[in-house]
Amino acid sequence: MSHFTVLIIGGNIEDQLEGFNEDITMPRYEKGEVSEEDKKQFVDYYTKAKEANKNLTFEELYEKEGKGWNDNSWKFRRGIWVETSTYNPNSKWDWYKIGGRWEGMLMDKQGNPCNSGLISELDFLTPRVEAEETALKYFDEVSALFKGGKVPQPKLTWEQILGAGHIGDIDTKRKFYHNQTAMIEIAKVKEENRDKFGFFFEPADFKCTREEYGKRAFNGAFSTYAMLKDGEWFEKGQMGWWGMSNDEFTQADWDIEMNKMLDSLEDDVEVTIVDCHI
């Protein structure tokens, strides 16, 4: 269970959100064929739990115990067993509140925090510019601490090492990662300049130009987990967004496209921050 931010574009907040309500009960529909593994788990559970069930066929056993297993959601149709459901397949939330944990995430042109407003009333530029200036200053300060003015990069990233089956267990992988020349140098500099490095410092964040680092901060100054526009839900990693697949779509990509969306809106369009929970 978690909370996340949604930027709702346009009015009719309740109407736009309603189609994604987890509590909606749908007309029963088929989700697909019941797998042999699912059938086996069901049979194993009830034959071990009750001695009298051991001589029953799958069909007899499901007729007897299906209610307790999954409320008889498996149905025998067209010669196969299919899983059915009344759960809303578009479920995104079970509770929401305007602002909520992100109270005042937006800012009006007088510098006041708010949860909603017309595009003409809101200031998205100032936070972006401030974030870029702060990022460029940090980039310069950190880069200057290393030889050549550049943060060294390990030959293998943590993700690459984590996925390497031949390196060993998790502790061995951790040692391997931190024993790389670049990581040893970074550790030494971090020890001598603790005030400059946060807990989540990643050398890969500096594997770019100064301009790119600043622009990433500019685009990420305002970003939500999802957007809802004209009753259509968009979120990072959603297949098909701007022609990209799930594994190609990074946070930086999301931030760029979200800013494009915001900048394309007319002045009289209302936007609202909503705290959703699922």
Side-chain angles (χ1 to χ4, degrees), residues 82-108:
V82 295
E83 183 179 0
T84 67
S85 177
T86 60
Y87 182 79
N88 180 8
N90 294 320
S91 294
K92 297 293 185 182
W93 61 268
D94 59 14
W95 174 95
Y96 73 85
K97 182 180 180 180
I98 293 176
R101 294 188 177 191
W102 288 272
E103 182 75 25
M105 185 175 176
L106 296 171
M107 186 174 76
D108 67 22

Side-chain angles (χ1 to χ4, degrees), residues 163-197:
H166 65 282
I167 292 180
D169 61 19
I170 190 68
D171 289 332
T172 304
K173 291 176 189 291
R174 224 176 253 119
K175 290 177 182 176
F176 187 97
Y177 176 66
H178 289 289
N179 281 336
Q180 295 180 92
T181 302
M183 296 309 298
I184 292 172
E185 183 181 350
I186 288 172
K188 182 176 183 296
V189 172
K190 285 177 69 175
E191 181 63 27
E192 296 170 350
N193 302 271
R194 293 186 179 184
D195 60 318
K196 294 287 193 300
F197 295 87

Side-chain angles (χ1 to χ4, degrees), residues 132-273:
E132 182 175 29
E133 290 174 348
T134 299
L136 290 174
K137 181 181 177 183
Y138 181 67
F139 184 92
D140 291 341
E141 289 177 348
V142 171
S143 298
L145 298 173
F146 295 93
K147 298 172 185 176
K150 290 184 68 175
V151 176
Q153 298 296 318
K155 289 184 178 179
L156 294 176
T157 66
W158 171 243
E159 288 73 21
Q160 289 172 324
I161 292 171
L162 195 60
H166 65 282
I167 292 180
D169 61 19
I170 190 68
D171 289 332
T172 304
K173 291 176 189 291
R174 224 176 253 119
K175 290 177 182 176
F176 187 97
Y177 176 66
H178 289 289
N179 281 336
Q180 295 180 92
T181 302
M183 296 309 298
I184 292 172
E185 183 181 350
I186 288 172
K188 182 176 183 296
V189 172
K190 285 177 69 175
E191 181 63 27
E192 296 170 350
N193 302 271
R194 293 186 179 184
D195 60 318
K196 294 287 193 300
F197 295 87
F199 182 77
F200 296 106
F201 176 83
E202 290 289 345
D205 291 341
F206 291 80
K207 195 176 181 180
C208 60
T209 66
R210 181 178 185 272
E211 182 183 15
E212 288 169 342
Y213 188 87
K215 189 55 66 177
R216 190 164 65 224
F218 180 94
N219 290 323
F222 177 84
S223 184
T224 59
Y225 177 82
M227 289 189 289
L228 184 55
K229 184 176 186 289
D230 299 328
E232 188 172 1
W233 187 281
F234 303 97
E235 65 184 54
K236 176 181 168 291
Q238 185 177 11
M239 184 67 75
W241 259 61
W242 297 287
M244 291 182 173
S245 64
N246 293 351
D247 55 354
E248 292 174 329
F249 204 78
T250 66
Q251 183 64 46
D253 293 325
W254 168 261
D255 293 341
I256 289 169
E257 298 305 332
M258 185 169 193
N259 278 277
K260 285 181 182 178
M261 173 80 81
L262 283 170
D263 292 343
S264 71
L265 298 175
E266 299 293 334
D267 284 351
D268 61 351
V269 173
E270 181 181 26
V271 294
T272 304
I273 291 292

